[in-house]
Amino acid sequence: MVPYLKEQNHQGSWSVRSRVTGNRRRAVLKGRRHTAAMLVAVHSGCGQHSREGVQRHREACRQACRQAMAVLLSNATAVDAVAAALRCFEEDDVSNCGRGSNLTLDGQVQCDASVMDDAGHYGAVAAAEGVVHPSTVALTLLRGDAGGLLPLGRIPPLVLGSNGARVFAREHNLDTFDPNSADNPLKTERQGRAHQRWMARLVEAGATGGGSTTSGVTKPSAANTGPTTRGAKRKRHLSGSASAPLDGHNTAWDTVGAVCVDATGNIASGVSSGGIAVKRSGRVGQAASFGAGCWACRKNGRAVGTCTTGNGESLIKSLLAMRTAEDMAETDDDDLAGPDRLRASFERRFLNCQQLSKEQAHVGGVLAVRTQTTQNHRRVEIGAIHGAPSLVFGCQVAHFKPGKGWHAAPPSADHVRATSSPWSLDYRSVQLQVKPQVDHDPASTAAAASP
């Protein structure tokens, strides 16, 4: 018999049950009669998290959910909520994005970020310097993409890099600063100490000129030989990562991400990252690569949004965000299809990707959200899968009750730990009964919500 675990009900609005099967955890949330639902799902990056680090990442995810949900309740779009969640992460130095980003080999901060909506509009910044909120610049570029041609028939840019992103941000009255100034607002003492230790390691290894240790993941050294179990192999790969732990507190490899669904059922996703530690200046990760960092689409009556985290070079080669979204959009809506398809997609598209060499650590993860609305129901599914030691993700749901307005359940945050398997999965679904043709305006009922 499959064991069932009781979980906390969300203020009496949901009946929750979770089932543990091997190393896969599934949760099913069945909703009562509501007219619509809005959703925020975020992750704070995969990595090696200490006990204290997990708690900080959980709170960061909850706060990002609150910020994004507040935007949705103000009658904004899904892509606006995604940008709000990413800005929240960028202002919290616990995450590897914005403030607290990993430093380059030269000791500078260069950030990648991108956002995408289900209409195919996209915006990104790559190796951006002197920008306080890279995700806000990416959102502005997305709006330019959605706005059509520029004067004289010029095509608006989708991606801007380095100083070009700062110039663009300044032209649009976004927060910028001099990246060469002594008081760089994105640098923290913790990242400065980590950079010093990494430079000492590189000097000892004779690799300060930019060898393989500055471009991603190195081959396991002879000192890392040991058992050949799957778990041991993964640990050896991780030990070569450019973000291996130095201070015993917390190490997040890469990108934070968010996927949001607004009241009309539109979906959007986005990612933001400071990149790997001691990377070569100008290096661009998956957070600024089309199809690798985030994806949002509509297909077969379903809306799907994904965002990735992990080794950027591996995620770029595998185009994990786009391919996972395409796989999830093809899935039939039975109870087992969602988690099984996400697992199969991750194994095929990433763990067994032919474009990835055996020497590269398959360190990565993906957060996927899928929605389908019929005349009477809206089904929302959330899945998080990764091949790293741990991943922290959070989610928050708001539903609309006729005559009462919008109600937001408290945000939740979970820690998905590694297992002996190459992957670890958490999957859950929300099914809501929908009364069609009911007027509900988030702006007029935001006061009734309690995010």
Side-chain angles (χ1 to χ4, degrees):
M1 178 179 294
V2 178
Y4 282 85
L5 304 177
K6 292 183 179 179
E7 294 189 357
Q8 180 181 3
N9 289 339
H10 296 290
Q11 296 190 0
S13 297
W14 311 98
S15 60
V16 186
R17 54 176 184 162
S18 63
R19 181 171 64 186
V20 179
T21 56
N23 57 7
R24 185 177 67 198
R25 178 175 177 270
R26 295 183 60 246
V28 181
L29 290 76
K30 295 183 178 180
R32 298 177 181 177
R33 181 172 291 274
H34 310 300
T35 61
M38 298 188 292
L39 171 77
V40 175
V42 302
H43 70 74
S44 61
C46 66
Q48 293 176 330
H49 302 108
S50 65
R51 182 175 300 179
E52 179 185 354
V54 167
Q55 296 305 318
R56 290 193 63 192
H57 275 257
R58 279 179 168 171
E59 182 52 37
C61 286
R62 294 188 192 100
Q63 186 60 28
C65 286
R66 295 185 188 101
Q67 295 281 354
M69 185 58 71
V71 171
L72 289 177
L73 291 170
S74 68
N75 206 18
T77 64
V79 72
D80 292 318
V82 165
L86 297 180
R87 283 196 301 270
C88 186
F89 281 124
E90 290 166 353
E91 294 172 353
D92 191 337
D93 63 358
V94 71
S95 305
N96 177 27
C97 65
R99 183 172 181 267
S101 293
N102 286 328
L103 302 184
T104 67
L105 192 65
D106 302 326
Q108 299 300 317
V109 176
Q110 294 185 344
C111 298
D112 302 331
S114 61
V115 291
M116 185 176 185
D117 63 21
D118 57 8
H121 302 129
Y122 180 82
V125 294
E129 293 183 299
V131 175
V132 177
H133 296 114
S135 59
T136 304
V137 184
L139 176 64
T140 306
L141 287 167
L142 178 146
R143 288 171 174 161
D145 179 38
L149 297 177
L150 299 174
L152 302 181
R154 294 177 299 152
I155 298 175
L158 295 183
V159 184
L160 290 176
S162 190
N163 188 59
R166 181 166 67 101
V167 172
F168 177 85
R170 188 168 58 242
E171 291 174 351
H172 288 78
N173 298 318
L174 303 178
D175 293 334
T176 61
F177 62 92
D178 182 359
N180 297 316
S181 63
D183 54 346
N184 189 320
L186 301 186
K187 290 185 179 181
T188 65
E189 293 183 2
R190 179 172 62 86
Q191 293 304 91
R193 291 192 300 268
H195 182 262
Q196 292 176 356
R197 289 191 286 268
W198 270 117
M199 294 305 298
R201 284 188 178 185
L202 290 175
V203 170
E204 182 180 354
T208 54
S212 61
T213 54
T214 64
S215 60
V217 179
T218 58
K219 296 182 180 180
S221 64
N224 284 328
T225 58
T228 58
T229 63
R230 289 177 174 176
K233 287 182 179 179
R234 180 161 22 146
K235 288 182 179 180
R236 291 206 306 274
H237 279 311
L238 299 183
S239 66
S241 167
S243 292
L246 286 171
D247 52 15
H249 167 63
N250 168 75
T251 298
W253 260 273
D254 201 28
T255 313
V256 304
V259 181
C260 296
V261 180
D262 60 27
T264 61
N266 293 323
I267 196 168
S269 64
V271 286
S272 183
S273 175
I276 58 176
V278 291
K279 64 182 179 181
R280 181 180 291 278
S281 293
R283 178 260 189 187
V284 177
Q286 96 280 5
S289 300
F290 189 73
C294 65
W295 197 259
C297 63
R298 283 187 174 275
K299 189 176 182 181
N300 300 327
R302 304 179 182 94
V304 181
T306 59
C307 54
T308 63
T309 177
N311 181 350
E313 282 70 18
S314 297
L315 295 168
I316 291 173
K317 285 185 176 182
S318 62
L319 291 175
L320 185 61
M322 178 183 69
R323 288 173 174 168
T324 300
E326 290 178 344
D327 289 342
M328 295 299 291
E330 295 289 347
T331 306
D332 293 331
D333 280 336
D334 58 85
D335 288 341
L336 295 179
D340 287 346
R341 178 55 65 93
L342 181 58
R343 173 191 54 78
S345 177
F346 188 71
E347 289 181 339
R348 176 189 175 193
R349 304 295 191 180
F350 190 66
L351 297 180
N352 299 319
C353 179
Q354 295 182 355
Q355 283 73 32
L356 301 183
S357 64
K358 295 181 180 180
E359 288 78 8
Q360 284 183 296
H362 290 45
V363 180
V366 59
L367 174 67
V369 175
R370 182 177 67 173
T371 70
Q372 184 173 19
T373 303
T374 63
Q375 183 177 3
N376 298 316
H377 295 88
R378 175 178 295 172
R379 183 182 180 89
V380 181
E381 298 170 89
I382 311 167
I385 188 169
H386 70 91
S390 65
L391 172 71
V392 179
F393 80 100
C395 60
Q396 186 174 18
V397 175
H399 54 262
F400 184 86
K401 296 181 178 180
K404 295 184 179 180
W406 285 94
H407 171 77
S412 64
D414 294 301
H415 180 209
V416 186
R417 299 179 180 86
T419 66
S420 58
S421 169
W423 50 267
S424 304
L425 171 67
D426 186 299
Y427 201 93
R428 56 193 64 189
S429 65
V430 182
Q431 182 163 311
L432 301 173
Q433 289 183 307
V434 179
K435 287 183 178 179
Q437 298 179 349
V438 176
D439 183 23
H440 50 273
D441 181 5
S444 64
T445 57
S450 57

